[in-house]
Amino acid sequence: MQNTSFRAIKTALKSFKNILIVSHFSPDGDAMGSSLALYHYLLGLDKKVTVAVPNEYPDFLKWLPGNQKVLVYTKDVKKIEKVIQQCDCVFTLDFNTLSRLEDFGNSLKKCGKPFFLIDHHQQPDDYAKFQLHRVEACSTCELIYDLIVGLGDKSKIDKKIANCLYTGLMTDTGSFRYPSVTSKTHAIIADLLKTGIVPSDIHAAVYDNYSYDRLKLLGYCLSEKLKLIGGNQIAYFKISHAELQNFNFKKGDTEGLVNYPFAINGVKICAFFNEAPEGYIKISFRSKGKLDVNKFARLYFNGGGHKNAAGGKSQMSLTDTVAEFEKKAVSYFKLK
Ligand code: 5GP
Ligand code: MN
């Protein structure tokens, strides 16, 4: 499907008063940042707006302006079902298949309301009436910035919106270091800084807030759990539920951990496997350069994402999942 013109989006928005914004399971900085930036922007257009996500998100995102209004499907299901009935349209942000909403997606699939898809992941499903999709965008926050500017409302980007957008741009680019970063990324950041936001405060709020247990878990993973295969070019961690419990695991405690082995010279693929509380194995994949973990995750692990950052799931045991990964990854990526 083609992207919708800003003109058509502007016209459509005029007829929508009550708007629901949703983002993906296990929301990250880009999911929450883009949803809350759009929330503040639409409130400024005098809309009635609700942000709802499938499950809890990490504490390090709870300082974002508007956080206290966010509904979470696992605890606010009744309220959310009511909003689904009452809303005029649904914005789906930072994902491109309704299955990324888990149970929440089943409710939305049958609601019959028009969907907006705003996303930068590869191969979007065809469920949206309106679409703003660009794989080259470093984050969904970049697309929300484009949307607001495209609708002629750049002057409406205030400190609240800028704080939210900065967070998503920062977290989805690994603090401005991934290949997705372009001059445009930095030009947007320059614009956002003009609102008076303080980047060092945002970095500190998101990254300098580990619990003692979280830092110990990182140390444990690095010293005890890291395994290298494929001629030391593939690195992975495998963590059981019990091990996580030893460090009083909380949502977000393993965020970013998958990237650490890239610090080793020669590592091209990183993976992280953990037993999720939901009862399956949650997997994160990362890669360098041309190696495509989106395709790999889609092919073998019921997942997807971006070329260099993807996720997946397995219903097998942790041990069997990792055995399967070892077998498939070495041959798929031709690393020996
Ligand atoms: P993470 O490893 O940080 O959970 O996810 C990396 C990227 O892959 C994110 O952009 C995320 O949205 C996407 N992703 C994670 N898990 C899944 C999944 O199960 N299915 C799909 N399609 N994408 C995923
Ligand atoms: Mn994103």
Side-chain angles (χ1 to χ4, degrees), residues 134 137-139 141-146 149 154 157 162 165-166 169 176 182-195 197:
R134 239 179 344 103
C138 73
S139 56
C141 279
E142 175 177 330
L143 296 171
I144 296 294
Y145 174 90
D146 286 349
V149 173
K154 189 168 168 180
I157 298 182
L165 292 180
Y166 189 100
L169 281 150
F176 312 109
T182 62
S183 63
K184 185 181 170 195
T185 319
H186 288 288
I188 295 172
I189 293 298
D191 252 356
L192 299 180
L193 296 200
K194 290 176 197 150
T195 64
I197 58 165

Side-chain angles (χ1 to χ4, degrees), residues 28 30 94 120-121 139-140 172 306:
D28 57 10
D30 193 30
D94 199 36
H120 64 137
H121 293 87
S139 56
T140 299
D172 255 32
H306 309 283

Side-chain angles (χ1 to χ4, degrees), residues 24 28 94 96-97 100 120-121 172 255 258 282-286 298 301-306 309-313:
H24 60 77
D28 57 10
D94 199 36
N96 59 25
T97 167
R100 290 281 285 137
H120 64 137
H121 293 87
D172 255 32
E255 193 100 5
V258 63
K282 164 79 186 105
I283 318 168
S284 285
F285 298 111
R286 300 291 185 269
R298 278 176 186 261
F301 292 100
N302 196 24
H306 309 283
K313 269 190 229 164

Side-chain angles (χ1 to χ4, degrees), residues 155-326:
S155 61
K156 290 203 167 85
I157 298 182
D158 60 7
K159 214 166 163 174
K160 276 186 196 163
I161 295 177
N163 265 308
C164 296
L165 292 180
Y166 189 100
T167 299
L169 281 150
M170 175 185 83
T171 53
D172 255 32
T173 57
S175 300
F176 312 109
R177 63 192 292 253
Y178 295 157
S180 57
V181 172
T182 62
S183 63
K184 185 181 170 195
T185 319
H186 288 288
I188 295 172
I189 293 298
D191 252 356
L192 299 180
L193 296 200
K194 290 176 197 150
T195 64
I197 58 165
V198 183
S200 54
D201 287 353
I202 301 175
H203 284 259
V206 173
Y207 297 123
D208 300 343
N209 67 354
Y210 277 43
S211 63
Y212 182 58
D213 280 328
R214 182 176 173 190
L215 197 64
K216 299 264 283 188
L217 172 62
L218 169 63
Y220 172 72
C221 288
L222 293 176
S223 73
E224 310 293 327
K225 305 301 295 184
L226 178 60
K227 194 167 172 207
L228 293 172
I229 58 170
N232 294 343
Q233 296 179 91
I234 301 173
Y236 73 84
F237 305 102
K238 160 184 99 166
I239 315 284
S240 69
H241 185 62
E243 286 172 303
L244 290 173
Q245 289 310 107
N246 285 340
F247 294 91
N248 299 308
F249 174 78
K250 283 182 68 198
K251 190 109 203 143
D253 279 358
T254 55
E255 193 100 5
L257 208 150
V258 63
N259 296 296
Y260 276 85
F262 280 135
I264 304 168
N265 190 11
V267 168
K268 296 196 177 87
I269 301 278
C270 296
F272 179 82
F273 300 82
N274 77 278
E275 285 174 333
E278 292 82 11
Y280 53 80
I281 308 300
K282 164 79 186 105
I283 318 168
S284 285
F285 298 111
R286 300 291 185 269
S287 64
K288 285 254 160 112
K290 292 203 171 105
L291 301 175
D292 189 334
V293 283
N294 167 53
K295 284 194 184 143
F296 180 74
R298 278 176 186 261
L299 186 58
Y300 297 119
F301 292 100
N302 196 24
H306 309 283
K307 188 170 88 176
N308 295 133
K313 269 190 229 164
S314 158
Q315 302 293 344
M316 292 187 289
S317 71
L318 186 57
T319 310
D320 290 349
T321 304
V322 169
E324 182 76 359
F325 169 74
E326 287 211 5

